[in-house]
Amino acid sequence: MFAEIKGLNEECGVFAVWGHKDAAQITYYGLHSLQHRGQEGAGIVVSDGDTLNVHKGLGLVNEVFDQQTLNALQGSAAIGHVRYATAGGGGFANVQPLMFRSQVGGLAIAHNGNIVNANNLKLQLENQGSIFQSTSDTEVLAHLIKRSGYWSLEDQFRHALAMLKGAYAFAVMNEHQLIAAMDPNGLRPLAIGRIGDAYVVASETCAFDIIGATYERDVKPGEMVIIDDNGLRTEQYDKSTNPAICSMEYVYFARPDSNVETINVHTARKQLGKQLAIEAPIEADVVTGVPDSSISAAIGYAEQTGIPYELGLIKNRYVGRTFIQPSQELREQGVKMKLSAVRGVVEGKRVVMIDDSIVRGTTSRRIVNMLKEAGALEVHVRISSPPIKHPCFYGIDTSTTSELIASQHSLEEMREMMGADSLSFLSTDGLKKGIGRDPEMSNCGQCLACFTGEYPTEIYADTVHPHAKV
């Protein structure tokens, strides 16, 4: 569904390229394809082999960059970033890539995820004399790198990574080297590709398609990938890995044309819909999905049940952006602006409404009401993921339970609040089976913390909001 209305937001997307004469242009197009991962700000840092140059700003990629700014970013290597404000909040100072200059050269950092011990590390660093220019947890890495005592970026980065806890997919670059790294749990996606002789790294493989790159492989948990003019080499900087990629990448965040660790997102969502139909069938006349991320699951549900799939809900693609608003009333107005029920499809019908997840429940209630206003006789809500009952500390903006409807209310209470005729969620076992990852791995190599409350890393007290339950 709509991230800005729904209240479920990924922090950002990362893109990097090494060895391409049009590095800034390539990065610009890569960031365009990752725009769904963050709309608050965008930035690109380019290396020409001698210096790093940066341009970034608040807004969408095509609002921050034009041809003139891209022409000024000359070089054969670049890293780029799109951000949605979570850890540290918003504002220009937190727009990435973060850029640092020293006597020995520049350093640029782009980060997807959330460092759960960032506050502890910041306090230690401030007591040692560090001064922070942003409120982003990402800036901690730069200070750890410079204080490491090592000379090479590889050694500095390796030392710094050993001190971090949480979720991180990093791209760091100086004038001579690009390094990508993944946390030991692999909580956030990061893939490697090739375009001619150049290497590219991106949060999602859809970024490779737009620039004509070919997918090589994913960055592994606990792995550091070093790219320079001599080529690519890898190092397992942490061998105590426990793969646990965020399940919501498959359910909601990633684009349907992306492959997350070789599993196509559309196919996974379709299988989730089929599994949901097996677990929660209902007699109905039509199946419809809430645009856009629930369409694949709705198709799967319809195929499994034999109930026709129809476009019962239409997204208006030409309204302006509506970011998360502070009041429920304004959120509901945002839904009205962006969604319309198709009366000719739902009138006089028993409708199965498929959605990928429920956070606050506000959006679902409004859509159920919209369908009934359009003449639907019954609206049966089916959710292609388990109830979100626990906060996420790994880069998704659900840091409290107070706004998570499933943590506060029973299934029947939620059904009544939404005005639905029935309500069912996919089970956690159904989620794992539908996505289709390795069943031999713990939890199939997925993070299920927002559903089960079992976190793959230690959670630090200063990370937890007073209303959070862990």
Side-chain angles (χ1 to χ4, degrees):
M1 264 193 57
F2 320 124
E4 57 269 37
I5 297 172
K6 190 171 196 171
L8 194 63
N9 294 277
E10 173 66 74
E11 186 176 350
C12 63
V14 172
F15 185 91
V17 57
W18 187 275
H20 197 288
K21 63 182 180 64
D22 297 317
Q25 299 272 358
I26 290 291
T27 305
Y28 171 79
Y29 292 120
L31 293 181
H32 253 299
S33 68
L34 299 174
Q35 187 75 84
H36 59 287
R37 300 186 73 89
Q39 299 88 42
E40 191 222 7
I44 296 174
V45 174
V46 169
S47 169
D48 62 5
D50 295 316
T51 59
L52 300 184
N53 293 302
V54 60
H55 182 85
K56 58 184 181 178
L58 296 170
L60 299 176
V61 174
N62 63 356
E63 295 171 339
V64 174
F65 297 96
D66 56 25
Q67 194 61 56
Q68 183 176 354
T69 56
L70 290 173
N71 289 342
L73 295 172
Q74 293 295 314
S76 61
I79 63 173
H81 190 271
V82 288
R83 174 178 171 82
Y84 174 84
T86 54
F92 179 80
N94 290 328
V95 176
Q96 297 184 32
L98 298 183
M99 175 77 173
F100 307 90
R101 299 190 189 279
S102 70
Q103 293 298 313
V104 296
L107 177 69
I109 303 175
H111 171 214
N112 179 21
N114 193 46
I115 301 168
V116 297
N117 64 334
N119 289 337
N120 284 354
L121 291 170
K122 276 187 178 181
L123 184 60
Q124 295 173 28
L125 289 164
E126 286 177 352
N127 288 338
Q128 295 168 10
S130 290
I131 297 174
F132 289 85
Q133 300 298 314
S134 74
T135 55
S136 169
D137 60 328
T138 309
E139 191 177 355
V140 168
L141 178 64
H143 289 266
L144 294 176
I145 285 173
K146 295 307 293 183
R147 287 179 172 272
S148 68
Y150 293 98
W151 179 253
S152 73
L153 180 59
E154 289 176 52
D155 291 336
Q156 293 171 342
F157 196 23
R158 186 187 307 107
H159 173 82
L161 290 173
M163 302 178 70
L164 303 181
K165 305 294 182 184
Y168 50 83
F170 280 119
V172 302
M173 185 179 73
N174 63 14
E175 291 84 354
H176 312 294
Q177 207 167 48
L178 166 67
I179 306 180
M182 177 75 72
D183 68 79
N185 296 107
L187 282 155
R188 294 275 156 247
L190 195 64
I192 306 166
R194 292 289 297 270
I195 176 169
D197 294 329
Y199 288 96
V200 286
V201 177
S203 294
E204 292 185 36
T205 60
C206 64
F208 298 159
D209 298 333
I210 195 172
I211 61 170
T214 56
Y215 165 82
E216 294 281 306
R217 67 174 181 87
D218 293 281
V219 180
K220 300 172 186 175
E223 184 179 41
M224 196 162 71
V225 179
I226 304 103
I227 305 170
D228 55 27
D229 290 342
N230 294 318
L232 180 150
R233 63 188 188 279
T234 65
E235 175 187 322
Q236 193 69 30
Y237 74 88
D238 191 324
K239 295 181 172 61
S240 58
T241 59
N242 178 31
I245 193 165
C246 174
S247 295
M248 294 306 291
E249 291 289 349
Y250 295 100
V251 171
Y252 174 69
F253 290 124
R255 257 177 45 167
D257 54 335
S258 286
N259 294 336
V260 176
E261 295 192 353
T262 72
I263 296 175
N264 176 253
V265 173
H266 163 73
T267 301
R269 289 176 184 165
K270 189 175 175 181
Q271 289 301 122
L272 292 175
K274 289 187 174 185
Q275 188 65 31
L276 180 61
I278 293 169
E279 295 184 5
I282 192 73
E283 288 189 9
D285 304 306
V286 65
V287 175
T288 193
V290 180
D292 286 318
S293 54
S294 306
I295 299 299
S296 300
I299 293 170
Y301 191 98
E303 284 190 9
Q304 184 67 35
T305 59
I307 302 170
Y309 167 77
E310 294 284 356
L311 287 175
L313 293 163
I314 297 294
K315 181 179 178 180
N316 183 351
R317 303 181 184 279
Y318 301 100
V319 297
R321 286 176 292 144
T322 54
F323 289 103
I324 294 175
Q325 302 294 339
S327 71
Q328 300 251 358
E329 179 184 0
L330 289 179
R331 287 195 193 100
E332 291 180 22
Q333 289 178 9
V335 176
K336 288 178 183 177
M337 287 174 62
K338 289 208 165 190
L339 267 187
S340 299
V342 183
R343 181 176 293 273
V345 170
V346 304
E347 188 171 25
K349 303 287 181 60
R350 298 168 297 173
V351 178
V352 182
M353 184 192 98
I354 307 294
D355 205 353
D356 51 70
S357 55
I358 292 180
V359 183
R360 299 182 182 94
T362 307
T363 303
S364 299
R365 176 171 57 83
R366 178 59 205 156
I367 297 172
V368 169
N369 187 53
M370 188 186 301
L371 289 166
K372 291 196 170 183
E373 286 178 349
L377 295 179
E378 300 172 4
V379 178
H380 301 277
V381 178
R382 295 292 181 270
I383 308 300
S384 61
S385 65
I388 297 176
K389 295 183 177 181
H390 304 275
C392 176
F393 303 106
Y394 302 126
I396 302 173
D397 69 343
T398 56
S399 58
T400 74
T401 56
S402 58
E403 287 190 312
L404 300 177
I405 187 173
S407 72
Q408 307 292 322
H409 299 280
S410 68
L411 186 68
E412 177 59 20
E413 287 172 340
M414 287 189 285
R415 184 199 66 77
E416 289 184 1
M417 293 168 70
M418 292 177 198
D421 292 276
S422 70
L423 170 65
S424 292
F425 291 83
L426 186 64
S427 66
T428 52
D429 285 342
L431 178 77
K432 291 185 285 186
K433 184 176 181 180
I435 291 174
R437 289 172 59 86
D438 185 357
E440 299 299 318
M441 300 172 71
S442 174
N443 288 326
C444 297
Q446 296 168 223
C447 177
L448 303 170
C450 59
F451 311 124
T452 65
E454 298 175 5
Y455 295 88
T457 73
E458 181 181 356
I459 301 299
Y460 291 73
D462 61 355
T463 306
V464 180
H465 190 280
H467 297 298
K469 298 176 185 176
V470 295

